Amino acid sequence: MITVVIPTVGRPTLHDTLAAVGPDVPVIVVDDRRGHPASLAALRMPPHVRVVRSGGRGPAAARNAGWRAADTPWVVFLDDDVVPAPGWAQAVWKDLVDLPPEVAGSQGRIRVPRPEGRRPTDAERHTAGLAGALWVTADMAYRREVLQALGGFDERFPRAYREDADLALRVTRAGHRLVKGERVTVHPVRDDGFWASVRHQRGNADDALMRRLHGPGWRAAIGGAPGRLRLHAATTAAGLAAALLATGRQRTAALAAGAVWAALTAQFAWRRIAPGPRTPDEVLRMAVTSVLIPPVACAHRLRGEWRVRR
């Protein structure tokens, strides 16, 4: 009845995901690494797991390769860093078996472990947002016939960001319904390093594509909170103005623009620091990245707007 599709770039957590799924359902692992096919051997897959390659073209292309290789009525997408709860295989079957024909998809319930004895960091709060997000492919099942009719995931989304929301909007606008199931999948928090929040700003380019495809109301349609791009643009403009005015020796105007930049930056940094553990390392990370995020976000959004207009 179902095939599990897991795109991967070779994370070691993949083996925990496979162990949690168990051997009772067919699994297709899509190797999305670039390189020679001999690298497949390094994945060391169990006998019941089939491996296909997608050539390093990103998670949307990898998921498409996976569901097209499946032959079951339902395809369940998992990320390679999640851990389905005990009994998941039976739970997903119960979620899907009695769904009416108009229901095209079923989302699992995502749980993100919270730290014990302290408040969560910015990165941990970022991951925790998956618990309330709609239609994320950390655990999302779709009817294969609907994927086929709609062409699957849009491969213009090059990273694991917005490609799942785009598909969900196209599915619902085609007249289908999406529901939440009872199965549970745990999404642990990864330590992606000091600059992770800056790298996340690449998603602003994908937001430009979402706006082009689904109109200005796309964020509300997927239950998302308003973005901060306008504030980031104001912060960036104030910083640029301060630098240009200082170069032109307009000291008073430069100081005024610099004060606006400093105030907006401090407000943004404190917004990220206040709910966190406020350790020296976390405060330093938030201070440094809060300076960089506004201009980086704006640059990526401009890049995205240029790309979709081409």
Side-chain angles (χ1 to χ4, degrees):
M1 178 183 181
I2 70 170
T3 298
V4 176
V5 170
I6 308 173
T8 187
V9 290
R11 289 192 185 115
T13 52
L14 171 63
H15 294 282
D16 295 330
T17 305
L18 292 172
V21 171
D24 297 330
V25 294
V27 177
I28 296 176
V29 167
V30 186
D31 184 356
D32 196 44
R33 298 174 296 173
R34 293 185 176 92
H36 193 274
S39 66
L40 294 176
L43 291 178
R44 302 188 307 276
M45 293 293 98
H48 71 286
V49 175
R50 178 183 174 191
V51 178
V52 300
R53 300 188 77 241
S54 54
R57 294 181 293 125
R63 293 190 183 99
N64 284 342
W67 71 257
R68 286 171 180 146
D71 58 5
T72 52
W74 286 93
V75 177
V76 186
F77 298 101
L78 293 176
D79 287 346
D80 68 349
D81 57 352
V82 302
V83 182
W88 181 88
Q90 293 76 24
V92 71
W93 182 84
K94 291 178 181 178
D95 282 345
L96 303 179
V97 66
D98 291 324
L99 289 178
E102 70 270 14
V103 174
S106 167
Q107 181 181 357
R109 298 182 182 271
I110 306 300
R111 291 182 182 169
V112 179
R114 294 295 186 111
E116 295 183 3
R118 62 168 174 80
R119 291 185 287 189
T121 64
D122 179 71
E124 290 165 343
R125 295 193 304 274
H126 177 80
T127 304
L130 292 171
L134 293 177
W135 325 129
V136 292
T137 43
D139 182 345
M140 186 71 198
Y142 279 107
R143 292 188 190 272
R144 190 181 184 281
E145 62 182 7
V146 173
L147 293 171
Q148 191 164 19
L150 296 178
F153 294 87
D154 190 331
E155 296 181 13
R156 288 175 293 179
F157 291 93
R159 69 198 106 250
Y161 191 74
R162 303 303 189 202
E163 85 292 352
D164 45 10
D166 165 73
L167 177 59
L169 288 177
R170 287 189 285 121
V171 167
T172 55
R173 288 173 181 174
H176 306 288
R177 287 199 300 122
L178 300 174
V179 299
K180 278 197 173 184
E182 296 300 321
R183 65 191 184 277
V184 174
T185 292
V186 177
H187 195 304
V189 177
R190 296 195 312 267
D191 182 2
D192 288 336
F194 189 95
W195 305 105
S197 58
V198 178
R199 291 195 301 271
H200 290 158
Q201 303 312 309
R202 293 178 295 184
N204 283 280
D206 303 314
D207 287 350
L209 180 56
M210 287 292 288
R211 183 181 177 89
R212 173 58 65 96
L213 294 174
H214 301 290
W218 68 267
R219 198 182 295 270
I222 63 169
R228 289 187 57 89
L229 189 64
R230 290 184 180 180
L231 283 172
H232 288 337
T235 305
T236 303
L240 288 173
L244 291 172
L245 290 167
T247 301
R249 298 182 180 179
Q250 300 181 50
R251 186 170 181 275
T252 302
L255 287 173
V260 172
W261 172 85
L264 290 172
T265 301
Q267 184 272 340
F268 179 46
W270 179 245
R271 179 182 177 130
R272 302 171 70 207
I273 292 169
R278 305 186 197 177
T279 61
D281 286 347
E282 179 72 359
V283 171
L284 176 63
R285 186 199 313 256
M286 295 301 96
V288 173
T289 57
S290 293
V291 171
L292 295 176
I293 283 174
V296 171
C298 292
H300 281 300
R301 182 55 181 260
L302 290 173
R303 177 174 61 85
E305 294 290 350
W306 171 256
R307 186 179 66 193
V308 298
R309 280 163 174 72
R310 292 179 62 190

